[in-house]
Amino acid sequence: MFKKIVIPVFLTSLLTIFMSIPAYASPPRIIYSLYVQLNGAPIESDSTPPYINTATNTAYVPLRVISEGMGQSVSWDKNKQQVTIQSNDGTVMTMTIGSTTAYVNGEAKILPSAPEMPFMRVMVPIRFVSEVLGATVNASAKDGATYVDISFKP
C-alpha cells in the first residue's frame, strides 16, 4: 500500500519540478563568435580561441597570444597560478587566476573579471590587458558576432 502511494506521488513531484524549469533558464556560458584583430591582422590562437564569458559579459583571449603579439614578455608561476607581463616600456602587470585584483607596477587595480584557465591556457580580459599595455580597444557587433580591434604602437 505504501509503495502504491509514495512512488506515484514522488514521480509526479519530480515531473512538476522539471516541467517548471524553462528551457531558456541556462544561457550558454561561453560564446565563441569573437574575432580579434591586432593592428588590422587577425589574432590566431594555436588551440584556444577567444571567447565571451556571458556571466560577466567579458571578452577573453589567450594571454600569450595578445601579450606576445604586442611584443611583451610573459612568465607563469604554476604554484601561485600567477602570470606576469613585462612590457617594453617597463610596465609590470601581475594577475592571478580567479582573482579580480591585478597589480600594475605594484599598484592594485580591480579587473572587470578574473583571469580564467578553462582549457589549460591562461585566458585574460582582453580590454584590461590591452589598455594597460598602451593599446586602444574598439569593439563592435555585426551579424551576431563580436569584433574587437586592438591598435598598438610599440
Side-chain angles (χ1 to χ4, degrees):
M1 172 83 173
F2 178 75
K3 286 184 181 179
K4 287 182 181 181
I5 294 173
V6 171
I7 291 175
V9 169
F10 176 74
L11 291 176
T12 303
S13 298
L14 277 178
L15 184 59
T16 303
I17 290 170
F18 286 115
M19 294 293 286
S20 66
I21 299 173
Y24 57 85
S26 180
R29 179 174 134 27
I30 293 176
I31 297 174
Y32 288 102
S33 55
L34 175 65
Y35 302 95
V36 181
Q37 290 188 334
L38 176 59
N39 293 333
I43 289 181
E44 300 293 330
S45 177
D46 56 350
S47 63
T48 306
Y51 62 85
I52 298 172
N53 181 326
T54 59
T56 60
N57 200 30
T58 302
Y60 283 87
V61 68
L63 172 65
R64 287 195 186 274
V65 170
I66 191 66
S67 298
E68 290 178 354
M70 295 168 92
Q72 319 306 322
S73 63
V74 177
S75 62
W76 167 247
D77 184 327
K78 184 178 179 180
N79 294 329
K80 292 181 181 178
Q81 297 283 291
Q82 193 172 69
V83 294
T84 301
I85 303 167
Q86 175 77 45
S87 75
N88 295 332
D89 70 358
T91 300
V92 177
M93 180 183 347
T94 305
M95 295 178 288
T96 304
I97 301 299
S99 173
T100 57
T101 303
Y103 293 89
V104 178
N105 294 330
E107 184 181 336
K109 303 280 185 181
I110 301 301
L111 293 163
S113 289
E116 302 177 343
M117 205 163 111
F119 313 107
M120 298 308 293
R121 294 287 303 265
V122 176
M123 305 295 285
V124 294
I126 191 170
R127 181 175 295 276
F128 180 84
V129 171
S130 298
E131 289 177 348
V132 166
L133 294 175
T136 302
V137 180
N138 292 305
S140 60
K142 181 174 135 184
D143 300 327
T146 301
Y147 297 85
V148 177
D149 295 310
I150 302 167
S151 298
F152 178 71
K153 300 203 182 346

